[in-house]
Amino acid sequence: MEAEGTRRAIHLTVNGREHRFDVGNNETLVEVLRERLGLTGTKVGCNRGECGACTVLIDGEPIVSCMTLAIEHEGKSILTIEGLEDPRTGELDPVQQAFVENFGIQCGFCSPGMVMSAKALLQKNPSPSEQEIREGIQGNLCRCTGYQQIVESIQTAGEKMGGG
Ligand code: FES
Ligand code: FES
């Protein structure tokens, strides 16, 4: 049970839309995204910072959202997997499209976090080497693909985005 006075109003921009939340001091960012906003594309695997399934971008940086408190992000801009597709046309982001085309998705549980880490990597480095890709997704675990199709997906996405 929370002690009195342990809630605070914060403002977050999530996928381009501003929100105000009254959050508890111990409420994680992934709880706010999934439970307050219904953005359940962000997955919770381990809930202790080990699997990367909950990765979102905070001001462009990939962060595991199960390990960070919402209250620490007043005024920040959050991008989740739901924010990647084109809001007007519904077209997938090139990174999502490349994962589909290159079989980078199997069961799909790791995919939202993996795609967000890939997005952050390609924004900084549009033509990463295989080694750089593997380093970029080293915090994201996948039980299904053996990673090779994921690496190829990210290489393809970089090429589509003008790198390579
Ligand atoms: S659920 Fe956050 S790192 Fe595993
Ligand atoms: S596709 Fe199943 S865990 Fe990665």
Side-chain angles (χ1 to χ4, degrees):
M1 205 167 74
E2 284 172 4
E4 205 177 329
T6 57
R7 301 188 74 79
R8 196 186 309 162
I10 62 163
H11 301 81
L12 298 176
T13 301
V14 182
N15 300 334
R17 296 182 65 176
E18 285 183 31
H19 299 271
R20 178 187 183 280
F21 301 102
D22 205 16
V23 294
N25 277 353
N26 57 0
E27 208 168 335
T28 61
L29 182 60
V30 74
E31 288 171 334
V32 169
L33 294 172
R34 288 178 56 90
E35 293 165 22
R36 307 277 197 107
L37 289 177
L39 295 174
T40 54
T42 301
K43 301 301 180 210
V44 179
C46 65
N47 211 15
R48 55 176 189 231
E50 293 174 2
C51 74
C54 64
T55 303
V56 299
L57 304 193
I58 302 179
D59 289 345
E61 293 297 325
I63 304 286
V64 283
S65 57
C66 71
M67 291 296 287
T68 191
L69 297 173
I71 212 162
E72 294 170 6
H73 299 292
E74 163 62 27
K76 300 265 178 77
S77 185
I78 316 293
L79 185 64
T80 74
I81 192 74
E82 291 89 347
L84 285 189
E85 68 179 29
D86 187 313
R88 286 172 300 118
T89 64
E91 258 181 55
L92 295 178
D93 180 272
V95 181
Q96 292 172 299
Q97 190 63 40
F99 269 70
V100 172
E101 289 171 3
N102 290 274
F103 306 101
I105 300 172
Q106 289 187 21
C107 83
F109 196 82
C110 72
S111 307
M114 197 69 85
V115 166
M116 298 314 290
S117 289
K119 183 81 184 164
L121 170 67
L122 292 171
Q123 279 173 342
K124 288 190 182 138
N125 178 2
S127 54
S129 65
E130 176 168 349
Q131 178 66 24
E132 288 168 332
I133 292 172
R134 288 184 183 274
E135 285 169 12
I137 58 168
Q138 65 187 356
N140 296 82
L141 303 185
C142 177
R143 292 171 301 182
C144 306
T145 65
Y147 297 96
Q148 189 56 38
Q149 292 103 317
I150 289 175
V151 170
E152 288 166 13
S153 300
I154 298 171
Q155 282 170 330
T156 302
E159 287 160 14
K160 282 188 183 171
M161 291 162 70

